[in-house]
Amino acid sequence: MKCVGMQYLEAIRKLKASGFHPLRSVYLSFVPDEEIGGHDGVEKFVDSDVFTNMNLGIVLDEGLASPSEDYRVFYAERSPWWLVIKATGQPGHGAKLYDNSAMENLFKSIESVRRFRDSQFDLVKAGLQAEGEVVSINMVFLKAGTPSPTGFVMNLQPSVAQAGFDIRVPPTADPESLERRIAEEWAPVSRNMTFELGQFKQKANVHDKFGKPVLTATDSSNPWWDLLEEAVRKANGKLGKPEVFPAATDSRYFRELGFPAIGFSPMANTPILLHDHNEFLNQDEYLKGVDVYVSIIKAYASYVEHTRKEGSKDEL
């Protein structure tokens, strides 16, 4: 986010002006395409020699605004699965009923998806799980019809219909079970559904390269977490309960490789207006956030592991 990017830059400026000399290198990265998957951004970056030579220790990425005085902090995120379901059926005159028409087949799938979506939403409404801990699914497009030079023909059943779904999968979910649900309930071959042909436009991993859930430890086993808590406290701030980020960020590409990554934006007492009209950040909260980053970067860049060999230089 632009506000967070500027806070980082201002924090670095203040640290340099104070004469601070880090033991670890601090890298600020500005990369494109996070909103559309990051394939030409971080995904390529983490596969580069430049990244390998950085000798990474910890990653900080964006978080969300917090309406309360506590800063929100994220140790994992939901992985995006962008799915296209394609239905085929018997074309015919619009005045007739066809149980195996493309639209009829697709409507049955949409209804099955809606029931699953409601079951997940009910868990959130009942307070049993947080937003980031359930599978979310939203239909984002519906495509069907028989086109003509003047628009769509109104009296013909289309032979093909498609729907696109934005699915977000938490690291605690069972991806194999979800894929079986898609194949057996949402896009079964028995209803002339061709999910195998539509497949995913994007399907991010929910496990890292070691086969473990893609998340970062938030206890004493992770020294970077302890340093973050203490640094925020020194800057007169407080972290809320660690959460699973409800959307997707570039952090997943680092976590998939086994690196710790924390989502954090110092924006307390601020309504959540992400992608909404009139997004804003109060100037006092913005300036306080700069000081929070000064404290965090200073702590991280000064951290010396007990097993660190004299003369070596780890990176941040």
Side-chain angles (χ1 to χ4, degrees), residues 181-239:
R181 182 184 295 273
I182 293 171
E184 296 173 6
E185 297 181 22
W186 299 353
V189 176
S190 60
R191 284 209 317 271
N192 295 325
M193 309 299 290
T194 54
F195 154 70
E196 292 83 6
L197 297 179
Q199 280 284 346
F200 295 95
K201 287 182 174 293
Q202 177 174 324
K203 183 185 176 191
N205 295 324
V206 297
H207 295 137
D208 63 20
K209 65 176 182 178
F210 306 107
K212 299 179 180 179
V214 184
L215 49 82
T216 299
T218 56
D219 54 31
S220 57
S221 68
N222 179 9
W224 303 107
W225 175 256
D226 290 339
L227 288 170
L228 178 68
E229 281 192 310
E230 179 64 14
V232 171
R233 186 190 65 79
K234 286 183 177 179
N236 298 316
K238 182 182 177 183
L239 296 180

Side-chain angles (χ1 to χ4, degrees), residues 149-180:
T150 57
F152 284 98
V153 175
M154 295 297 292
N155 64 338
L156 290 178
Q157 287 275 6
S159 58
V160 177
Q162 296 183 58
F165 300 91
D166 181 351
I167 308 171
R168 301 302 169 104
V169 185
T172 53
D174 180 357
E176 288 79 16
S177 175
L178 181 57
E179 287 195 68
R180 284 196 302 272

Side-chain angles (χ1 to χ4, degrees), residues 32-273:
D33 295 345
E34 183 251 16
E35 286 288 348
I36 55 175
H39 304 299
D40 288 328
V42 167
E43 185 176 17
K44 289 185 176 179
F45 174 58
V46 299
D47 193 38
S48 69
D49 291 337
V50 173
F51 174 75
T52 301
N53 293 331
M54 286 169 60
N55 190 22
L56 195 71
I58 177 67
V59 174
L60 283 179
D61 201 351
E62 66 178 339
L64 288 174
S66 172
S68 74
E69 294 182 353
D70 295 344
Y71 294 121
R72 300 182 72 180
V73 61
F74 303 91
Y75 66 97
E77 63 189 62
R78 295 194 294 191
S79 299
W81 289 15
W82 291 347
L83 172 68
V84 177
I85 293 178
K86 183 178 180 180
T88 58
Q90 180 180 348
H93 196 277
K96 296 180 179 180
L97 294 177
Y98 289 96
D99 291 336
N100 63 340
S101 70
M103 289 302 298
E104 188 71 19
N105 288 330
L106 188 59
F107 283 153
K108 291 177 181 178
S109 293
I110 292 172
E111 177 59 22
S112 180
V113 169
R114 186 196 64 79
R115 288 195 299 268
F116 175 80
R117 183 182 188 274
D118 287 347
S119 72
Q120 297 292 290
F121 193 33
D122 286 343
L123 293 174
V124 177
K125 290 190 292 185
L128 299 176
Q129 289 186 286
E131 181 183 0
E133 297 172 347
V134 300
V135 177
S136 70
I137 179 167
N138 290 290
M139 190 169 70
V140 291
F141 77 79
L142 183 61
K143 182 180 179 182
T146 304
S148 74
T150 57
F152 284 98
V153 175
M154 295 297 292
N155 64 338
L156 290 178
Q157 287 275 6
S159 58
V160 177
Q162 296 183 58
F165 300 91
D166 181 351
I167 308 171
R168 301 302 169 104
V169 185
T172 53
D174 180 357
E176 288 79 16
S177 175
L178 181 57
E179 287 195 68
R180 284 196 302 272
R181 182 184 295 273
I182 293 171
E184 296 173 6
E185 297 181 22
W186 299 353
V189 176
S190 60
R191 284 209 317 271
N192 295 325
M193 309 299 290
T194 54
F195 154 70
E196 292 83 6
L197 297 179
Q199 280 284 346
F200 295 95
K201 287 182 174 293
Q202 177 174 324
K203 183 185 176 191
N205 295 324
V206 297
H207 295 137
D208 63 20
K209 65 176 182 178
F210 306 107
K212 299 179 180 179
V214 184
L215 49 82
T216 299
T218 56
D219 54 31
S220 57
S221 68
N222 179 9
W224 303 107
W225 175 256
D226 290 339
L227 288 170
L228 178 68
E229 281 192 310
E230 179 64 14
V232 171
R233 186 190 65 79
K234 286 183 177 179
N236 298 316
K238 182 182 177 183
L239 296 180
K241 181 181 177 181
E243 305 175 59
V244 176
F245 199 84
T249 71
D250 285 331
S251 293
R252 68 180 182 275
Y253 290 110
F254 300 102
R255 293 193 186 106
E256 286 174 10
L257 296 177
F259 295 107
I262 297 173
F264 174 77
S265 296
M267 299 188 294
N269 303 302
T270 303
I272 302 172
L273 296 172

Side-chain angles (χ1 to χ4, degrees), residues 24-41:
R24 297 170 179 263
S25 297
V26 179
Y27 296 98
L28 281 75
S29 60
F30 292 82
V31 292
D33 295 345
E34 183 251 16
E35 286 288 348
I36 55 175
H39 304 299
D40 288 328

